[in-house]
Amino acid sequence: MGASWIKDAIFYEIYPQSFQDSNGDGIGDLNGIIQRLPYIRSLGCNALWLNPVYDSPFKDAGYDVRDHKKVAARYGTEEDLLRLFREAHKLGIRVLLDLVPGHTSEEHPWFLESAKAEENPLSDRYIWTSNAFCGGDGMPFIGGEHPRDATYIINFFKCQPALNFGYRDIHDPGWQMPIDAPGPLATREAIKDIMRCWLSRGCDGFRVDMADSLVKNDHGYKSATMEVWKDIAGAIHREFPDAALVSEWNHPEQALACGFDMDFMLDWGGNGYNQLMRYYQLDKQGNILRDNSYFKAGADADISGFLADYRYDEWKDLGMRCLITGNHDTKRCAFNLDDTERRLAFSFLLTMPGAPFIYYGDEIGMAYRWLPTKEGGYHRTGSRTPMQWDGSENMGFSRGREADLYLPVDQKGATVESQEQDPNSMLHYVRSLIALRRTHPELGNESPFAAYHMGKRLFAYRRGDFLLAVNPGREEEKVALDREYTVVFSMGPVALEADTLRMGKQSFAVLKPEK
Ligand code: NOJ
C-alpha cells in the first residue's frame, strides 16, 4: 500500500483555467496557483488535485492530452510546475496531477503514427478494427479520417481515441487483442513511463481518469482491468512508495484491491452520493422541478439511499473511499442547496472517513451558472467559472480585459475577501470544520465509522468513540444516548440532556464521550 501522507490529507481541487491568472491573458496559470497556496493552506487543506495541465488542443478541457510530458503553454512552463511542487511542499501541501490513461487527443503524436497505413511500432497503441467499414463491437468508433484501412474506438468525445490495453472477452480475434499481447503491454509501459516522469520531479501522485475502463469487454467484476492496474500501480508503488493514486472508479472493492489508495464516490445516476446532494429533476429550461436530496430542508428522504451505496464495511480495510463537495463535472452544490443546507452537507462530508475533496470555490458558495459551452464543458461549464477573490477588477481573478477571460466572472457572487471579513461566513464555517477534523483524530480519514441511529430525517453516526448527528429536516428529532457526552461542536439548535440529544431544525452536533 502506498503513501502514508494521505492519512491526514484534505484535498482542494483546482480547475487551472479558472483559479488565478498571473499574467493578464485571462486564463488561470501555474504561477497564479503558486501565489494562492497560502490561501489553500489557510483553509487547512494540505493536498491539491490539479485537473490536466498538459499540452492539449483543449476540446475536453485538457482531458484530450497531446503531450503528456509538456506543460500547456497557457499555464506556464515545466519549470513553473516544478516550482509549484516545491513551493507547495514548503507549505506542507502535496500535489496530485491528473493522469488520463485511457485515451489521448487525436492530435497526440502516438495517434498520428498509429493512424498511418504502413505498419510501425505504434500501430497497436490504439484500438483499430480490421477495416475501414468495420463496426466497434458495441463501442463508439470513427472511420474515414486517416490513411489506415480501419476504424478506431473512442473512449469519450470524438477527439479522444482509446488507448489499447486489450480485451478480456474477445469477440473478434481479427483485431481485438488479449491484455498480454505486445501492443497492450507496451501501452502499459508507456503509462508507467509518464507516471515516473512526473513522480521523479516532485509530483506526489495522480487522480486517475476513468480508471475502470482501460480493458474493453471487461464487464462485471473488471478482472482484466484490475490485473492491468495491479501491474501499473504495483510498479509505481515499489518505485515511489510515497506516491498516492486516487481512482475515478466508484467501486472501492475493485479499485482499492488493485492498487489504488483512494477511490471516489461519484455522482452517477441515482446513486448514493447523488441522493445526498444532487437528487433533483430539471425541466427543459434547467429549473428544478423536484429536489429530494437528503440535505434539502424540504425533502422527505432519510439517509438510507446513501448508506446502501456507501458500503463502508466492504472497503474499510482496503483503503479510502473519498467524498467530494463537487467537481469540474458536477453542478456546484450551490445550484440546489442554500447556505444552511450547504453547511450541513459540508459538516457531514468533512466528518466522514476518507480524504475529503473540496472543489475550488465551494468553500465560499460559488454559484452554478448556465453558460454557453467552453472547451467541451457543456452543462459542466457553469461549474468552471473564475474563482472570486475580491472586489477588484475581474474579482481578483485576472487583470486582463473582461472580453479575454476564460469564462465570465460572477459579479454578484461572494468573494473570499468579503467572507474573510464576515465571521459568520461559509468560508469561516468550512475552516472551523477542517480545524475540528484536525483537532480530533476520531474524525480523521481512517478512524472507524458506524451508523448509530436513523430517524425520519436525522442521522447519528459514530467516528471512533465520538457520536455525531445531523438533522437536515425542519422538525426536531431525538437521539437516545448510550453514555455521557459533551458537545465539542454544533450548528443550529442542539440540546444535550441527561440521556437524550435533541436536534432541532437543520442542526449538526459532534459529541465527545466524558471520561
Ligand atoms: C472524466 C473527467 O473528469 C471529465 O472531465 C472528462 O471529460 C472525462 N473523464 C474524459 O476524460
Side-chain angles (χ1 to χ4, degrees), residues 351-373:
T351 53
M352 286 292 282
F357 279 70
I358 297 174
Y359 185 50
Y360 83 96
D362 277 353
E363 74 277 18
I364 56 166
M366 267 174 66
Y368 174 82
R369 292 148 68 210
W370 293 102
L371 293 171
T373 186

Side-chain angles (χ1 to χ4, degrees), residues 148-169:
R148 182 166 173 170
D149 183 7
T151 54
Y152 60 93
I153 305 297
I154 56 165
N155 243 13
F156 197 68
F157 288 153
K158 180 256 168 193
C159 62
Q160 291 157 316
L163 283 161
N164 185 13
F165 291 89
Y167 277 71
R168 190 188 69 172
D169 297 341

Side-chain angles (χ1 to χ4, degrees), residues 60 63 100 103 156 160 207 209-210 248 328-329 380 384:
D60 183 18
Y63 283 92
V100 190
H103 48 265
F156 197 68
Q160 291 157 316
R207 172 269 187 184
D209 188 68
M210 294 171 66
E248 187 190 30
H328 61 291
D329 293 332
R380 307 176 294 184
R384 299 175 173 187

Side-chain angles (χ1 to χ4, degrees), residues 20 35 44 79 91 101 233 259 275 302 327 345 376 392 419 425 465-466:
Q20 179 67 63
Q35 287 167 14
E79 180 43 37
L91 295 178
Q275 292 189 40
D302 62 25
N327 70 21
S392 69
Q419 295 211 355
S425 66
D465 57 2
F466 276 37

Side-chain angles (χ1 to χ4, degrees), residues 24-95:
D25 65 356
I27 192 154
D29 49 45
L30 295 167
N31 282 325
I33 296 174
I34 293 171
Q35 287 167 14
R36 296 297 186 178
L37 288 172
Y39 167 74
I40 294 162
R41 192 65 244 203
S42 81
L43 294 173
C45 292
N46 58 352
L48 286 179
W49 157 27
L50 300 186
N51 294 119
V53 291
Y54 320 106
D55 178 53
S56 165
F58 293 104
K59 289 185 178 172
D60 183 18
Y63 283 92
D64 47 332
V65 179
R66 186 166 49 199
D67 185 342
H68 295 95
K69 296 188 180 175
K70 187 173 167 205
V71 169
R74 70 189 201 177
Y75 297 138
T77 61
E78 183 185 316
E79 180 43 37
D80 293 331
L81 183 55
L82 303 192
R83 200 158 60 83
L84 168 58
F85 297 151
R86 289 195 300 271
E87 295 300 318
H89 291 164
K90 280 187 204 158
L91 295 178
I93 299 174
R94 303 283 188 150
V95 184

Side-chain angles (χ1 to χ4, degrees), residues 321-341:
R321 181 166 211 194
C322 294
L323 297 173
I324 58 173
T325 65
N327 70 21
H328 61 291
D329 293 332
T330 63
K331 287 203 176 56
R332 282 195 183 270
C333 49
F335 175 64
N336 64 316
L337 301 182
D338 68 20
D339 184 87
T340 307
E341 292 163 344

